[in-house]
DNA sequence: TGTACATCAGTGAACGCGCGTTCACTGATGTAC
DNA sequence: TGTACATCAGTGAACGCGCGTTCACTGATGTAC
């Protein structure tokens, strides 16, 4: 994601090739280092090695960039979850772990994904909301599959997916935010999530 | 909390009486309205009806004010939890509900309490960490009491308190942050927390 | 293959703004005698 | 009870700063002929 779309690197520095994604990468790295709320567009551009005005060729304004960051993150999350499904998993806990791992590796984006006030939507159409729904749809499809396989009790898949999503999100938040868990090795967190999820799934099966 | 400590209101506007708490109240209200990350000291003072320099008679700088906000919030949370204990409760779920209600009513402070980057401690001594430990100590004492009463299996109370705290915090975070749950009536959230906690306690008893 | 030109995607100077912080000041209050 | 004075807790002007955004510009690239 941090490599240029031009691939060859033959583009001159002047015409960057994929400045849009490079800016998002810078924003993500800076958010990780300094905190999401201290992000400035000028610093993002500086880090991407470009003048601060250059960003306006790719985003209408600062909020647009931040929103794009959240949208791109939701797309990556969706990919990770789709990969779990495609790999033939039949366990909800695999989805939960995919979510956990994504959050652990993209803690900075995570803030923008769920804390709307950081990049207030302003308009009637909220692209982050749409991206969020797309990711949740992956979980819904997975729930439908598990029901078809008899791994999950029948019932409104929307409702089950919502509850499951919330549970996954909540458990992940604990590991990201609770001071006592922050330094925990990822493998240990993964094991806890798995055992909790087995208990829950037993209840839903 | 928004009333002056002087009580009588006889103090002139010039000598405010309890500007320190008034500033914290303003900060809390503004954080709720505009988002914690957009808080400015000048706006806080403006809202308290005072010049922006006045704040420096009560706080060394902006971060000091934000830290004090988090500390005060932890103290209130501790009081709420102590009240549950003092009322003779023998159920972990009562503590969980107290936590949930506190968070629901103090969502703005909640951010400062757990998101250290908003008011970076800077120094060797972190007053927020201390305040946090004080609040957690209340839960620990409660766990000890439940164990003495035979309501909870014996075991290291520190460990049990930590797990319980994390669970409470995680569940609360779900209700505060997950879009699907944000608009949920508080009573409904309370019922969910209670039923979840009964299940967990059954496992720990 | 060369040339003219439109377009794309950068640059850097400039703007106004609100911010955090400092400062000399002053009005209000409390205390000593 | 009055007066002198120290202290407390405000005021408002001023500072420098980094920010988001705009602008005229220009270099690099792609296309038509």
């Amino acid at each position: 994601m941090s490599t240029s779309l031009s691939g060859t690197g033959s583009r001159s520095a002047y015409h960057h090739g994929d400045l849009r994604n490079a800016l998002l990468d810078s924003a993500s790295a800076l958010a990780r280092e300094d905190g999401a709320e201290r992000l400035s567009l000028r610093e993002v551009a500086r880090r991407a090695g470009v003048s601060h005005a250059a960003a306006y060729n790719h985003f209408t304004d600062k909020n647009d960039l931040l929103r794009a960051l959240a949208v791109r993150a939701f797309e990556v999350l969706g990919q990770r979850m789709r990969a779990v499904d495609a790999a033939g998993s039949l366990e909800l806990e695999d989805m939960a772990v995919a979510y956990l791992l994504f959050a652990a590796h993209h803690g900075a984006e995570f803030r923008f994904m769920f804390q709307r006030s950081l990049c207030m939507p302003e308009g009637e159409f909220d692209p982050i909301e749409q991206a969020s729904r797309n990711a949740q749809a992956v979980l819904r499809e997975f729930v439908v599959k598990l029901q078809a396989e008899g791994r999950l009790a029948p019932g409104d898949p929307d409702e089950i997916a919502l509850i499951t999503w919330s549970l996954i999100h909540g458990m992940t938040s604990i590991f990201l935010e609770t001071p006592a868990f922050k330094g925990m090795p990822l493998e240990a967190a993964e094991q806890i999530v798995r055992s909790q999820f087995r208990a829950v799934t037993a209840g839903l099966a």
Side-chain angles (χ1 to χ4, degrees), chain A residues 70 74 76 88 99 109 122 150 169 189 193 203:
Chain A
F74 266 116
V76 173
Y99 194 103
E109 285 97 329
E122 294 279 10
H169 181 76
V193 167

Side-chain angles (χ1 to χ4, degrees), chain A residues 70-150:
Chain A
V71 167
R72 192 180 72 163
F74 266 116
E75 288 166 358
V76 173
L77 173 58
Q79 284 165 19
R80 299 275 190 280
M81 294 173 71
R82 236 174 271 118
V84 168
D85 194 353
S89 163
L90 292 173
E91 304 291 345
L92 272 183
E93 63 181 87
D94 290 334
M95 280 293 180
V97 167
Y99 194 103
L100 174 72
L101 294 180
F102 168 83
H105 292 128
H106 298 83
E109 285 97 329
F110 208 70
R111 292 278 306 281
F112 289 105
M113 293 165 75
F114 294 103
Q115 207 171 284
R116 293 314 206 306
S117 67
L118 285 173
C119 46
M120 34 183 185
E122 294 279 10
E124 54 296 325
F125 171 69
D126 179 356
I128 304 181
E129 186 56 35
Q130 182 57 52
S132 165
R133 273 198 290 267
N134 290 345
Q136 294 188 46
V138 177
L139 178 60
R140 200 201 102 103
E141 281 174 41
F142 190 64
V143 165
V144 170
K145 182 177 90 171
L146 293 193
Q147 288 179 321
E149 297 274 348

Side-chain angles (χ1 to χ4, degrees), chain A residues 136-202:
Chain A
Q136 294 188 46
V138 177
L139 178 60
R140 200 201 102 103
E141 281 174 41
F142 190 64
V143 165
V144 170
K145 182 177 90 171
L146 293 193
Q147 288 179 321
E149 297 274 348
R151 297 298 202 110
L152 224 46
D156 183 356
D158 284 317
E159 201 174 315
I160 295 178
L162 176 60
I163 293 173
T164 309
W165 180 273
S166 302
L167 191 60
I168 293 176
H169 181 76
M171 296 201 62
T172 298
S173 295
I174 293 180
F175 290 111
L176 289 187
E177 288 174 18
T178 310
F181 282 152
K182 263 180 189 158
M184 176 179 260
L186 207 45
E187 295 76 19
E190 183 177 330
Q191 285 316 309
I192 294 176
V193 167
R194 283 197 183 278
S195 71
Q196 289 295 315
F197 252 79
R198 268 193 287 269
V200 169
T201 315

